[in-house]
Amino acid sequence: MELFNKIMSGTSDIIWTYILIAGLIGLGIYFSIRTNFVQFRYIKEMGRLLTDKNTVSAEGKRGISSFQAFTISTASRVGTGNLAGVATAIAGGGPGAVFWMWLIALLGGATSFIESTLAQIYKVKDGKDGFRGGPAYYMEKGLNARWMGILFAIIITFCFGLVFNSVQSNTISLAMNEAYSFDRLTIGIILAVLTAVIIFGGVKRIASVTQIVVPVMAILYILLALFILILNVTEIPGMIALIFENAFGIREVASGSVGAAIMLGIKRGLFSNEAGMGSAPNAAASAGVTHPAKQGLIQTLGVFTDTLIICTSTAFIIILSNEYMGGTDGIQLTQAALTTHVGGWANTFVAIAIFLFAFSSIIGNYYYGETNIEFIKYSPVTLFLYRLAVLGMVIFGAMVDLQVVWDLADLFMGVMAIINLIAITLLGRIAIAALKDYRQQKKEGKDPVFYSDSIKGLKGIESWDPKPKQDKKIN
């Protein structure tokens, strides 16, 4: 096992150090410029679209709502990374890691827009009134590379459905054990039963659960963070200065800890907000909208909600407590920091919060695997076996060592992100053209509607009808 862990850790370090950091930041800058910084210019529009009632696509098909697709992807984003992942980054890289989390979210907003818009453009019909899609689908239909789509589908199914779900259950079991001394195996079994009830109910049940759980848990946690900030209002300027000092300070460069801050900040930031990883587009594709750019904008809002609000809340709680200098890590560090601020009841609060955050992630992660299994080849038997494997990994994750689970997650997350980044680099121009079409229709005072021939030369489109002959084509 020790040799296996070393191989995993070494491979992961190579991928992250030499490929992904440059790729994520480079593409984030490139797409920000090409989209005229869509992630900043359309903030108001993102909020408006979140409650947009016009969720019927051009050909009259209705999938789940934009808000439900947002909550499914946010359910996957908002989980262990927000409470345990942030703590791990700060414990290993210092407060400076928070700055790199912010940077990867700000740049990643543009990348998220590209991948989620592509997922909408190349989505396929799923049953009578639904859709499915994601990177595997735009790799096959946009790049004519089914082999690439299958490779991605296999990796995301293993990564999210199995490995990441073991991370979530691991954190839940540690939090419950810390707060109540509950047996970790028992917790794993309870989680598996609860998960089974939901995942055997299909995407509609998943959406109905996440649209309630995600907003409630996020609001409660943010309110607690605001309360702590008010209690420590005089220390906020010093905390902000500490974050930037540790991100760029001479002392940190000399000691080598800047490298750790960058690496851990970007790793944990990507694990949390998933921008560019290729996961959120699977949820984005399931929405029924009149224009692909609408869901691209909504998913960009998800990146900001996750990192700039929820992850930052955790970071401020930890840094203001100074507990990160005591050698504690993971969810126990978050619990210790909250206890410092508000007393012993914090253990109970974090245990409940991490249960809601991480359990909703298990549900969202499962869905990503399901839609990609359907891409490879749908079979009731295969889907049933996948569901059993998910439940098994939930129990397994609740019992194993924390570091083993995180190392496995980092490795597969890195491989998955590389494949997706290659695809969106090649297809990015199509999402940019869709944004141009969206902007033009908005300028004309229209509620933008997309057609299969809205972009000149577009091929491989299944879920968008051609433009009616009486309408003028927009190239």
Side-chain angles (χ1 to χ4, degrees):
M1 179 62 79
E2 185 177 348
L3 176 62
F4 175 69
N5 291 344
K6 286 182 178 179
I7 293 173
M8 275 199 312
S9 180
T11 306
S12 178
D13 286 345
I14 291 172
I15 289 173
W16 282 93
T17 304
Y18 299 106
I19 303 174
L20 267 183
I21 288 179
L24 287 168
I25 294 177
L27 274 181
I29 293 171
Y30 172 73
F31 286 134
S32 294
I33 294 171
R34 288 294 311 276
T35 60
N36 198 18
F37 294 92
V38 64
Q39 70 267 45
F40 306 129
R41 291 170 59 88
Y42 280 78
I43 287 288
K44 184 177 179 181
E45 180 75 350
M46 294 173 197
R48 186 190 71 81
L49 289 172
L50 200 57
T51 56
D52 186 9
K53 300 300 182 183
N54 191 3
T55 58
V56 181
S57 57
E59 72 286 354
K61 286 281 184 178
R62 183 185 294 275
I64 66 173
S65 71
S66 295
F67 181 72
Q68 287 177 320
F70 171 82
T71 57
I72 289 177
S73 62
T74 304
S76 178
R77 286 187 175 112
V78 179
T80 295
N82 298 87
L83 276 74
V86 173
T88 300
I90 295 173
V98 179
F99 170 82
W100 297 103
M101 279 189 180
W102 290 340
L103 179 65
I104 204 65
L106 292 171
L107 293 176
T111 309
S112 180
F113 172 82
I114 295 293
E115 63 181 358
S116 294
T117 300
L118 286 172
Q120 268 287 323
I121 291 172
Y122 291 105
K123 67 185 179 183
V124 301
K125 297 174 184 177
D126 186 19
K128 292 183 179 179
D129 61 351
F131 304 101
R132 56 185 165 88
Y137 295 80
Y138 57 67
M139 288 170 190
E140 177 186 39
K141 296 181 176 298
L143 295 176
N144 196 29
R146 180 166 171 78
W147 66 269
M148 189 180 188
I150 290 176
L151 177 61
F152 181 88
I154 292 171
I155 292 175
I156 191 174
T157 300
F158 183 79
C159 186
F160 272 79
L162 305 182
V163 177
F164 279 12
N165 275 344
S166 69
V167 172
Q168 307 298 342
S169 64
N170 183 275
T171 306
I172 291 174
S173 70
L174 287 173
M176 291 294 181
N177 182 264
E178 178 78 12
Y180 306 112
S181 301
F182 287 167
D183 177 68
R184 291 175 64 183
L185 174 59
T186 302
I187 295 169
I189 293 172
I190 293 171
L191 279 175
V193 171
L194 292 174
T195 302
V197 170
I198 296 173
I199 68 176
F200 278 91
V203 66
K204 294 290 186 180
R205 184 178 295 178
I206 293 170
S208 64
V209 171
T210 57
Q211 74 176 345
I212 297 172
V213 173
V214 172
V216 170
M217 69 182 184
I219 290 170
L220 288 176
Y221 189 67
I222 292 166
L223 288 175
L224 178 61
L226 286 173
F227 174 71
I228 291 171
L229 284 176
I230 292 170
L231 291 179
N232 298 274
V233 66
T234 58
E235 298 180 40
I236 292 175
M239 175 185 63
I240 300 296
L242 181 65
I243 289 172
F244 282 90
E245 179 185 317
N246 276 259
F248 299 104
I250 300 298
R251 191 176 43 182
E252 285 70 29
V253 172
S255 67
S257 62
V258 159
I262 295 173
M263 183 76 72
L264 286 166
I266 292 178
K267 270 187 180 181
R268 299 282 77 84
L270 179 62
F271 176 83
S272 185
N273 66 52
E274 303 175 15
M277 196 192 300
S279 49
N282 294 276
S286 63
V289 291
T290 62
H291 199 288
K294 288 185 175 182
Q295 198 61 29
L297 291 169
I298 288 172
Q299 294 303 327
T300 300
L301 183 63
V303 172
F304 291 165
T305 301
D306 174 272
T307 303
L308 301 184
I309 298 178
I310 301 176
C311 281
T312 298
S313 297
T314 301
F316 286 176
I317 289 169
I318 291 170
I319 295 171
L320 286 170
S321 73
N322 291 320
E323 288 289 336
Y324 65 92
M325 296 185 287
T328 312
D329 197 359
I331 194 62
Q332 289 94 340
L333 173 54
T334 306
Q335 287 175 305
L338 272 171
T339 299
T340 299
H341 292 297
V342 297
W345 66 270
N347 269 347
T348 298
F349 177 85
V350 173
I352 295 171
I354 197 63
F355 176 83
L356 293 174
F357 275 74
F359 182 66
S360 67
S361 284
I362 289 173
I363 297 169
N365 291 346
Y366 160 80
Y367 174 71
Y368 292 166
E370 178 184 294
T371 193
N372 280 278
I373 285 175
E374 290 180 354
F375 170 82
I376 298 170
K377 185 175 177 60
Y378 175 75
S379 161
V381 175
T382 304
L383 189 58
F384 180 75
L385 292 175
Y386 166 64
R387 288 170 174 169
L388 291 182
V390 169
L391 301 179
M393 286 300 286
V394 167
I395 296 173
F396 170 78
M399 299 184 295
V400 299
D401 177 68
L402 175 70
Q403 193 56 47
V404 173
V405 175
W406 278 107
D407 286 346
L408 199 60
D410 282 340
L411 176 60
F412 280 92
M413 177 172 64
V415 174
M416 195 176 88
I418 288 172
I419 298 172
N420 184 58
L421 291 175
I422 292 171
I424 63 176
T425 299
L426 298 172
L427 292 171
R429 58 183 176 78
I430 294 173
I432 293 167
L435 177 60
K436 181 180 178 182
D437 177 64
Y438 184 83
R439 284 173 174 163
Q440 183 171 332
Q441 291 192 53
K442 288 289 289 184
K443 286 180 181 178
E444 294 171 358
K446 300 177 181 178
D447 180 24
V449 177
F450 187 81
Y451 299 95
S452 61
D453 51 356
S454 290
I455 299 173
K456 188 176 180 180
L458 193 61
K459 297 179 180 179
I461 305 304
E462 179 178 320
S463 295
W464 302 92
D465 281 348
K467 185 172 297 186
K469 291 182 179 181
Q470 64 269 26
D471 286 354
K472 183 182 177 182
K473 182 186 291 186
I474 301 172
N475 291 331

